[in-house]
Structure formats: structure tokens, C-alpha cells
């Protein structure tokens, strides 16, 4: 009887192995080879690719840059997404229209949007600099100076993915029970006090989930960098995903790119686990209290 | 108009008329967009006589329009003429190399015909079929210039089927250079006459004088120079154009990128550093955003009339000469600027020249080939031969977005551009004279066609980008590139890289 149970589980397990485990195991195997344009195939290079990675300052710089980029953009997305969700949560005019409008950026293709943003940021032909000049701010070197280019990538990321945060947080707000809010009103709490003592704590678990999902996605940022800046100027906007793309697809260093990817996977898994634990301790425990 | 050119125009018109009337008795193929079929083994008529019904040809090519559009167009024609089924896969540039290489390495005959950058021959050569002798003997192939035949070869065998010719050259606004007011302005600011730049120092000086001013009177500011500066967007080619005259000594043989004997990288030698310093300095004369211009930006900046000068492939020039262009017939071409001081790596000193050392950079160029494992090599070579037949090529040359540029002796005839494309005689003359001059230049540089060229160029572009952004000095940046190149050579094996690089050096030192 018990054996039959395993037979029923087998199709699912096979799919799991084929879809998840096989590519992962194959990538691990490739990372221990020196497969590249002149050494095709799966030879045994031992840990040479990992040793090379250790000395690759461009990779570690890209990792640091990615951390800064993803943490800052996700934080800003969270704040903006929460604000927008609060805005349309209550009965305001054109609430339905605004909900749909806020979701438009998320529903567009990242590559297409990056091309459009690249045109907007274009310093000679784009519309942004003339607007800034008309406002007296002056034209900005959006894509040709390091800090501006980094800011440009942040702007596109925030613009594109704030709606995702908005969507999750709005769903969370709509699912909150009404009793605590009634109690707060009876106790005479104003809007700020209600938000700090009722809304925000009750949104703790949903907030952690939304932040983590976005952090996982943000850690893979590639299209925006590829289209907008190609990692430049210099290496100012080069992220890990883009660097791995260059090594793997452009330079055709398949073995090395596999080692870079796996190392990146481990680092991100550990980092995101620690972030998740910290967030739960900070935000969810408060809610329980 | 020059008498010889006038005679050529008359001759050209009469030949075209003769061909057209001669064809009146044969089958008419003008519905395929050609003026007249040119008899021969690759002609429409000859291909029409073949029957490939029931057979399938798989082609991989670049995205539309550059090369991808003519590939698809001639694939449709080939399909109609022969009955074959022709599948064309279009791939963005960034993916093209690996989409070709992975099937090669894994032993799959995924594609019969391949279109790609000719500099990848160092990587692809083990997987390509030699062009059969019969195809090497067709009239169209015989007309391919020696330079472009050389690019198609690898260790004495022709592995690439030539269908494009590319090179870097200087483009400038002839109306500004010949304007007395602009000449006076330049004289006032520099104390010398305004001339077409003969050195890169001259180029930077002219660019700096004519930047951020409205010299075309359209109310918008103009700028001095548009260059491909965006990392990973073929910027390395722009950089090599600037470096070549300082580092490619006319009397020193044996390698430009490496010393062929020792395989020591030369990228951080003083000639290369000087070129990078001038590349970085030129940023002051670029339009807003010019320090992150990709090839498309460069084309639109010069071709759209924003900048005075530019240098790269034909595209910007062709864009400027489009019928609806506001600067049509206001541009001219010239060989790349040179250098009066050239680094001599043998003596370890700068040598001074009265006449600037001008180096022709024959870079990139789309090419085509047939996979060695293809089961349809006969049909594949027929397709390529048809693609590049005289009638198709003359039609393709007239469509700028196709990305097909002159590579046959007959393509360097100014009468063609005057008659067929309506260019002014002076423009056609400078264009064809420049292209011909590059083709026959005594001092030429070719791309680094060795295994792992992508990695070498990626490393070079990253180093140059660091210097451009101020992250490192030119010397520091190129020292870093040299260290990376040394590591790459060690990994691949010096002998292996040397063997491949010897093919490039043989072209340069012939």
C-alpha cells in the first residue's frame, strides 16, 4: 500500500528533477570545467574557475554595486508602493482608474521600457533635458556620468516595479479586518496614529513578503542595465547579472560563467535568508506585540 | 566634372542599357528588385534552373535590418526560384556568437548558412566548409578586392564567402570646411588654416573649435565630433582607429596587438597610451551624451547633421546621403587621420614623420560561411553565391539599412553612385577614392582574429571605458588590459594564439 504512494509521487518527482535539479546539477558540473571558446566540452578543471573568481575584482565590485542598487530601489519602491496603496485604499474619486493606471509600468516589457527610457534620458535628443532646462534645473549628463547613470538605472527600476509593490500591499490592505480600525477611531486615534499603531503593524507579514519577492527580482537586474547603460560609463552600473552575461554570452566562457552564477546564487541565498530573518524580527514581531 | 568620370558614367549607362535590352529576350527578373540579371553561375537565371524542391536550408543571421533584411529577402527569392524551403533565424547581435558557437561545439548541424562578423573567423574556422573552387572562380568573386579576399581566408583556404566590405574612415561636413566664415573663425582661434584633419591632434583641435556652436544656422547647437564610445557597442573599433597611427609603425613588422615572436601584448605601449589620451581628450567636443554613444547614436548624430566630424563604418555617411537628409551632398570622406610621431617598439623610441603615418583600419565586416557539418553544402553555397551575385549586390548597396558596403573593384566606381544614387560628383569621388585608398593602403591594421577575440576585445573595451570615465589614467587602464590579455594568452596557450595571429600579421605585413 505504502509503495503505491511512491508510484503516484513519481511523475511529480521526475518533473521536479527535470525542471529544477538537472539544470542545477549540470551548472555545477560545468562550473568545474574550463569550457570556453577554445576548450569546448566538459573537461575537469577542478576548482580553477572558483580560484579565478576569487581574484576577479570586477565581479566583487559588481556584487557590491548590485547590493546598493537593489536594496535602495526596493526600499524606495516599498515606501512609494505603500503610499500609493494607502491612497487608493480609501474611497477616493477615480479609485478604479488610478489602480489600473498604477499597474501599467509593471505590465510593460522591461526591454521595451528600457529602450523608451534610454530615449527619454538621451542627452542630445531626449525630452527630459529640455524639460529640466525649462524648469531652470539645467541639462543633466544622465548616461555619461557615473552617479547620474546609476541614478538613471534606479529611476527606471523604481518606475517599473513600484506597481508590483503597490499591488501586493493594496491586496494586504484590502484584507485587513475592520475592527481594529473601528477601535482606534473609538479611542480617538488620528490618521497618523492609526497608521503607526494599527495599519503598519498589521501589514508586517505582507510587507516582509513583498520586500523579499522584490529583493529576489531586483538581485537579477539585467535588462535595464543592458539597454540603458551597458554597464557604463566605465563600470559604474555593471551588475553581477550583466557581468555574468558578458563573460558567458559575449566572451563565451561557459565554465567561468557557471562558477560566477553558482557563487552568486549561494551569496544571494544566504543574504536573502538573513534579510528575511531580520525583517521578520523587526516587522512581524511588532505586529504580534 | 572630371572627364574620366563623365566617360565612366556614359559607359555605365550604356552597359546598363545593353544589359537591359539583352535581357529583354531572356527571362525578366526585375520583379525581384534588380535592374538586370547578370549572366553567370550565380545569376537569377542560373539559380532559377536549379530544383531544390523537398530540401530545407537553415540560415542564421543578424536581426533585421542590418544584414538580416537582405538575408531574408534573398532567402525568399531563392525559395521561389529553386523550390527549396528556406528557414531564416534572426538573432540580436549580442546573442549571435553563442547561437552559432554552441551548436558547433556540441556537434549539431543546426544551421547550413551563417552570417556573422568576419573577425570571429579565429573561433569559427574549425567548423566551416571551404568555399569550393568553382565558387571562387565566379566573376563576382574574382572582382572582390585583395583585402577582402584576404579577410575570407584562413591558413591559405577560403572559408568565408565575401558579401560585405567594411572599414573605418573619416567623414566630415564639407560645407563647413569650405565656408569662408568658418575658415576665418578657425584661423582666428588657432592661427592656422582650416584643413581636413591629417592627424588625430588636428582632429581634436578642429572638433574643439567647432563644438557647442550653431555653425549650420538651424538654431540648435552643433558639436565637433561623434564617436562610438559606449562600452560593449563596438567601441573597441573606434579606439583602435585612434590608436593605429601611433602604434602601427610603417617600418616595424610582426604585430600590432601582440609581438608575434613573444606574444607579449602591446596594448600598454606608449603608442596605444597616446591614442587613448587623445580619445579621452576628445570627449570635450562631443555632443551631450556623446561619451556613451553607441553606433546608432553616432550614425544619427553625424548623419542627422549634429556634428562636424565622425569616423566609423559607412552607415553614418550613407545616412547623411539619404535622399531626405538635410545634409545630403554636404559631406565628404577621407582616410582616417594619422600621426606625426609613431612609437617604434623595436627601438623603444618615438619616430617623427614629416608626412603623417596614415593607417587604414579594415575592421569588422559582415561575412558568411557554410557549416562543415551541413548536409546541404551544395544548396548553401548556391544560396550565398546567389545572395552576392552582381545584380543583388548592386541593388543591396543602394539600401543603407541593409549594411552591405563596397567590396568589389566595380563598387569603387564613382559613376555608380552618381548615376544610381544621385550623389554629387565631388561626394562620390571622395567616397570611392577613400575606400579605394584604404583598400590599397601600404599600412593596414586588421581585427584581432584569434580564438577568444570576444574576450580580448571585451577586456580592451572595459579598460578604455575606465579611462574614459576617469576611473583610471590611460596608462593604468591599458596596463590592466595588458595583464588580462597576458592571462588570456596563458590560458589559451601562446602557441595557439600565435598560430592564429600569424594569419592577421600576414595580411598586415604583406
Amino acid at each position: 500500500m505504502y509503495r503505491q504512494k511512491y508510484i503516484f509521487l513519481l511523475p511529480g518527482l521526475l518533473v521536479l528533477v527535470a525542471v529544477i535539479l538537472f539544470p542545477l546539477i549540470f551548472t555545477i558540473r560545468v562550473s568545474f570545467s574550463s569550457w570556453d571558446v577554445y576548450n569546448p566540452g566538459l573537461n575537469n578543471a577542478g576548482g580553477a574557475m572558483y580560484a579565478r573568481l576569487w581574484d576577479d575584482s570586477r565581479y566583487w565590485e559588481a556584487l557590491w554595486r548590485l547590493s546598493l542598487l537593489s536594496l535602495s530601489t526596493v526600499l524606495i519602491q516599498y515606501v512609494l508602493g505603500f503610499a500609493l496603496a494607502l491612497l487608493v485604499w480609501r474611497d477616493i474619486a477615480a479609485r478604479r482608474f488610478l489602480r489600473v493606471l498604477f499597474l501599467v509600468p509593471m505590465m510593460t516589457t522591461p526591454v521595451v521600457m528600457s529602450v523608451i527610457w534610454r530615449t527619454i534620458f538621451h542627452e542630445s535628443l531626449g525630452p527630459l533635458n529640455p524639460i529640466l532646462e525649462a524648469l531652470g534645473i539645467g541639462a543633466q549628463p544622465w548616461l555619461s556620468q557615473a552617479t547620474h547613470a546609476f541614478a538613471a538605472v534606479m529611476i527606471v527600476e523604481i518606475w517599473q516595479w513600484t506597481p508590483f509593490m503597490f499591488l501586493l500591499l493594496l491586496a494586504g490592505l484590502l484584507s485587513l479586518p475592520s475592527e481594529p480600525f473601528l477601535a482606534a477611531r473609538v479611542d480617538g486615534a488620528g490618521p497618523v496614529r492609526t497608521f503607526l499603531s494599527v495599519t503598519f503593524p498589521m501589514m508586517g507579514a505582507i510587507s516582509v513578503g513583498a520586500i523579499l519577492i522584490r529583493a529576489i527580482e531586483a538581485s537579477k537586474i539585467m535588462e535595464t542595465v543592458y539597454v540603458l547603460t551597458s554597464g557604463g560609463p566605465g563600470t559604474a552600473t555593471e551588475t553581477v547579472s550583466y557581468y555574468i552575461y558578458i563573460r558567458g554570452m559575449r566572451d563565451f566562457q561557459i565554465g567561468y560563467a557557471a562558477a560566477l552564477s553558482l557563487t552568486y546564487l549561494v551569496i544571494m541565498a544566504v543574504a536573502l535568508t538573513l534579510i528575511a530573518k531580520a525583517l521578520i524580527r523587526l516587522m512581524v514581531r511588532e505586529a504580534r506585540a | 566634372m572630371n572627364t574620366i568620370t563623365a566617360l565612366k558614367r556614359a559607359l555605365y549607362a550604356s552597359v546598363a542599357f545593353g544589359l537591359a535590352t539583352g535581357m529583354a529576350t531572356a527571362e525578366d527578373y526585375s520583379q525581384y528588385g534588380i535592374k538586370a540579371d547578370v549572366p553567370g553561375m550565380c545569376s537569377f537565371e542560373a539559380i532559377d534552373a536549379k530544383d531544390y524542391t523537398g530540401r530545407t536550408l537553415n540560415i542564421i543571421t543578424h536581426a533585421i535590418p542590418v544584414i538580416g533584411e537582405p538575408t531574408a529577402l534573398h532567402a525568399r527569392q531563392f525559395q521561389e526560384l529553386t523550390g527549396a524551403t528556406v528557414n531564416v533565424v534572426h538573432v540580436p547581435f549580442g546573442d549571435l556568437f553563442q547561437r552559432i558557437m554552441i551548436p558547433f561545439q556540441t556537434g549539431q548541424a543546426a544551421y547550413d548558412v551563417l552570417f556573422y562578423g568576419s573577425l570571429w573567423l579565429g573561433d569559427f574556422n574549425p567548423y566551416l566548409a571551404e568555399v569550393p573552387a568553382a565558387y571562387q572562380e565566379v566573376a563576382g568573386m574574382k572582382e572582390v578586392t585583395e583585402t577582402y579576399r584576404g579577410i575570407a581566408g584562413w591558413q591559405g583556404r577560403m572559408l568565408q564567402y565575401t558579401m560585405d566590405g567594411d572599414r573605418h574612415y573619416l567623414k566630415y561636413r564639407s560645407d563647413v570646411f569650405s565656408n569662408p566664415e568658418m575658415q576665418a573663425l578657425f584661423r582666428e582661434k588657432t592661427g592656422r588654416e582650416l584643413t581636413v584633419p591629417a592627424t588625430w591632434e588636428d582632429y581634436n583641435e578642429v572638433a574643439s573649435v567647432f563644438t557647442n556652436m550653431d555653425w549650420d544656422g538651424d538654431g540648435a547647437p552643433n558639436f565637433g565630433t561623434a564617436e562610438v564610445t559606449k562600452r560593449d557597442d563596438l567601441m573597441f573599433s573606434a579606439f583602435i582607429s585612434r590608436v593605429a597611427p601611433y602604434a602601427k609603425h610603417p617600418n616595424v613588422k610582426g604585430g600590432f596587438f601582440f609581438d608575434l615572436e613573444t606574444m607579449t601584448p602591446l596594448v600598454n605601449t606608449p603608442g596605444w597610451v597616446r591614442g587613448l589620451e587623445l580619445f579621452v581628450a576628445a570627449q570635450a567636443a562631443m555632443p551631450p551624451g556623446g561619451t556613451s554613444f553607441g553606433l546608432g547614436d553616432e550614425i544619427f548624430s553625424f548623419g542627422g547633421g549634429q556634428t562636424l566630424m565622425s569616423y566609423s563604418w559607412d552607415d553614418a555617411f550613407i545616412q547623411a546621403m539619404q535622399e531626405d537628409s538635410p545634409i545630403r551632398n554636404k559631406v565628404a570622406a577621407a582616410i582616417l587621420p594619422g600621426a606625426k610621431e609613431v612609437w617604434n617598439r623595436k627601438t623603444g623610441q618615438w619616430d617623427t614623420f614629416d608626412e603623417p603615418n596614415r593607417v587604414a583600419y579594415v575592421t569588422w565586416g559582415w561575412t558568411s560561411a557554410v557549416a562543415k557539418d551541413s548536409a546541404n553544402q551544395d544548396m548553401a553555397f548556391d544560396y550565398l553565391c546567389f545572395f552576392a551575385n552582381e545584380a543583388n549586390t548592386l541593388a543591396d548597396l543602394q539600401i543603407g539599412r541593409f549594411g552591405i558596403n563596397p567590396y568589389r573593384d566595380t563598387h569603387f566606381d564613382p559613376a555608380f553612385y552618381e548615376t544610381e544614387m544621385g550623389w554629387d560628383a565631388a561626394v562620390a569621388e571622395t567616397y570611392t577614392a577613400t575606400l579605394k585608398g584604404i583598400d590599397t593602403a601600404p599600412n593596414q591594421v586588421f581585427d584581432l582574429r584569434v580564438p577568444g577575440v570576444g574576450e580580448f576585445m571585451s577586456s580592451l573595451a572595459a579598460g578604455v571605458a575606465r579611462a574614459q570615465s576617469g576611473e583610471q589614467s590611460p596608462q593604468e587602464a591599458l596596463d590592466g588590459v595588458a595583464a588580462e590579455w597576458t592571462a588570456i594568452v596563458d590560458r589559451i596557450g601562446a602557441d595557439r594564439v600565435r598560430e592564429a595571429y600569424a594569419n592577421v600579421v600576414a595580411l598586415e605585413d604583406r
Side-chain angles (χ1 to χ4, degrees):
Chain A
M1 192 65 187
Y2 281 113
R3 283 181 186 170
Q4 286 170 340
K5 177 178 76 176
Y6 293 112
I7 291 169
F8 285 114
L9 281 173
L10 195 61
L13 285 171
L14 286 174
V15 170
L16 186 72
V17 168
V19 173
I20 298 175
L21 288 182
F22 175 73
L24 185 63
I25 292 166
F26 185 70
T27 307
I28 293 170
R29 172 65 189 92
V30 171
S31 76
F32 286 99
S33 75
S34 60
W35 186 353
D36 58 21
V37 73
Y38 29 85
N39 293 311
L42 294 171
N43 62 356
N44 187 7
M49 297 300 114
Y50 290 95
R52 185 178 158 200
L53 179 158
W54 188 251
D55 293 328
D56 189 344
S57 59
R58 199 167 148 189
Y59 176 72
W60 299 110
E61 283 167 15
L63 189 65
W64 160 244
R65 204 173 290 119
L66 173 75
S67 307
L68 183 65
L69 184 70
S70 53
L71 289 177
S72 55
T73 54
V74 170
L75 188 66
I76 296 169
Q77 286 163 18
Y78 175 70
V79 172
L80 290 177
F82 211 150
L84 291 172
L86 287 170
L87 183 71
V88 298
W89 178 34
R90 299 297 181 195
D91 287 332
I92 60 161
R95 186 177 65 172
R96 288 189 177 179
F97 171 73
L98 287 174
R99 282 182 187 173
V100 174
L101 185 70
F102 291 157
L103 292 177
V104 168
M106 191 184 75
M107 291 188 285
T108 52
T109 312
V111 171
V112 173
M113 286 323 301
S114 298
V115 170
I116 289 170
W117 274 100
R118 180 170 160 73
T119 311
I120 291 171
F121 285 128
H122 199 290
E123 291 160 43
S124 299
L125 310 170
L128 184 57
N129 272 348
I131 293 170
L132 293 176
E133 280 181 334
L135 293 171
I137 297 169
Q140 301 296 317
W142 286 110
L143 302 175
S144 52
Q145 280 200 3
T147 47
H148 284 75
F150 195 81
V153 173
M154 281 183 67
I155 289 169
V156 177
E157 273 292 290
I158 291 165
W159 179 85
Q160 177 123 43
W161 294 113
T162 296
F164 180 80
M165 202 66 96
F166 159 78
L167 190 67
L168 288 187
L169 294 172
L170 180 64
L173 286 171
L174 291 172
S175 68
L176 294 181
S178 58
E179 293 80 2
F181 294 96
L182 285 172
R185 198 182 300 167
V186 170
D187 289 346
V192 175
R193 181 74 184 174
T194 305
F195 175 76
L196 292 175
S197 301
V198 182
T199 317
F200 189 71
M202 285 202 300
M203 288 289 288
I206 290 165
S207 295
V208 170
I211 289 169
L212 282 178
I213 292 169
R214 267 308 304 144
I216 291 166
E217 286 301 310
S219 68
K220 294 185 285 192
I221 178 171
M222 160 73 197
E223 298 96 334
T224 311
V225 172
Y226 175 76
V227 176
L228 209 59
T229 63
S230 291
T235 50
T237 56
E238 190 170 87
T239 59
V240 175
S241 302
Y242 186 65
Y243 181 62
I244 293 172
Y245 164 77
I246 289 175
R247 288 296 185 217
M249 300 294 104
R250 290 272 175 93
D251 299 354
F252 207 76
Q253 297 179 51
I254 306 294
Y256 187 50
L260 292 172
S261 301
L262 283 171
T263 307
Y264 173 57
L265 177 71
V266 171
I267 291 171
M268 290 318 295
V270 171
L272 288 169
T273 306
L274 293 174
I275 289 170
K277 284 194 171 181
L279 284 174
I280 289 167
R281 191 169 296 173
L282 266 173
M283 299 175 83
V284 181
R285 187 187 283 176
E286 259 182 43
R288 283 187 198 129
Chain B
M1 183 175 27
N2 165 325
T3 314
I4 295 171
T5 307
L7 286 171
K8 280 183 176 174
R9 283 180 65 180
L11 181 66
Y12 189 85
S14 63
V15 168
F17 178 74
L19 282 171
T21 50
M23 286 301 109
T25 51
E27 192 158 351
D28 181 16
Y29 294 99
S30 58
Q31 76 269 27
Y32 290 105
I34 58 167
K35 192 163 186 178
D37 194 17
V38 178
M41 181 178 151
C42 306
S43 67
F44 276 75
E45 189 177 21
I47 296 299
D48 198 4
K50 305 218 172 189
D51 182 8
Y52 289 130
T53 308
R55 293 178 65 185
T56 302
L57 189 68
N58 291 311
I59 301 172
I60 184 165
T61 187
H62 186 236
I64 287 172
V66 177
I67 301 301
E69 193 170 341
T71 306
L73 170 69
H74 300 314
R76 275 198 305 278
Q77 295 168 341
F78 189 80
Q79 188 165 282
E80 284 176 30
L81 292 169
T82 66
T85 301
V86 185
N87 301 318
V88 180
V89 175
H90 295 276
V91 179
F93 178 72
D95 286 341
L96 189 57
F97 181 88
Q98 55 104 5
R99 286 286 294 271
I100 294 174
M101 196 57 168
I102 287 177
F104 277 162
Q105 289 195 341
T106 52
Q108 303 166 38
Y111 306 105
D112 302 296
V113 176
L114 323 144
F115 288 88
Y116 58 90
S118 60
L119 78 171
W120 295 338
L121 182 60
D123 295 312
F124 290 164
N125 69 83
Y127 309 102
L128 302 180
E130 185 174 2
V131 177
Y135 294 90
Q136 293 189 40
E137 295 301 318
V138 298
M141 192 62 86
K142 288 283 187 193
E143 285 179 359
V144 173
T145 69
E146 191 186 342
T147 297
Y148 294 103
R149 280 183 74 87
I151 287 175
W154 187 260
Q155 295 178 334
R157 296 186 309 140
M158 188 178 186
L159 296 181
Q160 298 185 141
Y161 203 103
T162 311
M163 37 62 69
D164 177 37
D166 274 346
R167 73 292 284 167
H168 268 198
Y169 60 89
L170 172 67
K171 302 125 199 177
Y172 61 94
R173 288 289 294 273
S174 53
D175 59 330
V176 176
F177 275 80
S178 61
N179 182 333
E181 275 182 42
M182 297 300 145
Q183 291 170 346
L185 174 79
F186 187 76
R187 198 179 306 118
E188 183 190 324
K189 289 199 172 180
T190 65
R192 70 175 183 92
E193 295 300 318
L194 176 61
T195 52
V196 178
T199 66
W200 285 108
E201 284 90 348
D202 292 350
Y203 183 95
N204 280 11
E205 186 180 45
V206 172
S208 67
V209 168
F210 291 103
T211 203
N212 206 15
M213 62 178 281
D214 181 18
W215 38 253
D216 62 1
D218 68 353
N222 296 100
F223 298 88
T225 176
E227 309 182 28
V228 180
T229 50
K230 189 179 177 188
R231 205 192 78 187
D232 303 332
D233 199 348
L234 300 173
M235 173 261 267
F236 68 83
S237 283
F239 172 60
I240 291 168
S241 279
R242 276 185 164 271
V243 161
Y246 298 95
K248 178 73 166 54
H249 197 292
N251 304 322
V252 175
K253 308 293 183 190
F256 168 66
F257 295 99
F258 293 95
D259 180 330
L260 187 63
E261 284 179 20
T262 62
M263 287 313 291
T264 307
L266 300 172
V267 285
N268 58 342
T269 52
W272 284 75
V273 175
R274 176 79 61 87
L276 182 51
E277 286 167 351
L278 288 165
F279 196 24
V280 172
Q283 292 183 119
M286 292 175 185
T291 53
S292 62
F293 267 12
L295 181 60
D297 300 308
E298 183 258 350
I299 293 167
F300 283 110
S301 182
F302 179 80
Q306 186 188 34
T307 40
L308 179 71
M309 297 181 293
S310 179
Y311 62 93
S312 71
W313 294 272
D314 284 76
D315 315 75
F317 194 87
I318 302 297
Q319 170 86 11
M321 290 300 294
Q322 295 286 336
E323 280 185 15
D324 57 350
S325 165
I327 59 168
R328 182 170 163 88
N329 289 318
K330 293 179 181 173
V331 295
I335 194 166
L336 288 171
K340 287 194 170 180
E341 281 193 316
V342 185
W343 180 251
N344 186 329
R345 65 180 170 83
K346 294 283 185 194
T347 62
Q349 289 181 327
W350 288 98
D351 288 345
T352 306
F353 291 77
D354 291 334
E355 280 300 311
N357 175 40
R358 310 290 280 258
V359 180
Y361 180 29
V362 183
T363 175
W364 190 254
W366 289 96
T367 194
S368 59
V370 172
K372 195 161 72 178
D373 289 344
S374 165
N376 299 298
Q377 288 190 16
D378 55 339
M379 185 165 51
F381 279 114
D382 270 348
Y383 167 77
L384 288 179
C385 151
F386 170 72
F387 181 108
N389 74 28
E390 290 90 330
N392 276 334
T393 305
L394 287 180
D396 293 346
L397 279 176
Q398 297 176 47
I399 304 171
R401 67 178 186 277
F402 277 15
I404 291 177
N405 304 123
Y407 61 93
R408 287 183 175 134
D409 290 324
T410 45
H411 298 167
F412 300 137
D413 181 357
F416 169 74
Y417 300 93
E418 290 180 59
T419 311
E420 299 300 311
M421 298 170 77
W423 293 10
D424 279 359
V427 179
E429 282 289 346
T430 68
Y431 178 69
T432 52
T434 300
L435 267 50
K436 202 184 291 182
I438 293 167
D439 207 66
T440 55
N443 198 0
Q444 291 178 315
V445 161
F446 291 81
D447 285 315
L448 179 66
R449 301 190 306 161
V450 298
V453 60
E455 196 179 348
F456 284 111
M457 291 302 115
S458 173
S459 162
L460 181 63
V464 172
R466 283 193 196 100
Q468 282 178 316
S469 68
E471 284 177 32
Q472 291 179 324
S473 71
Q475 183 70 62
E476 286 169 346
L478 292 179
D479 284 346
V481 174
E484 286 183 17
W485 280 27
T486 303
I488 299 168
V489 170
D490 288 345
R491 221 168 46 244
I492 303 172
D495 290 340
R496 200 168 176 179
V497 182
R498 183 186 291 107
E499 187 187 358
Y501 187 47
N503 288 283
V504 181
V505 174
L507 288 174
E508 290 172 351
D509 291 351
R510 64 189 165 184

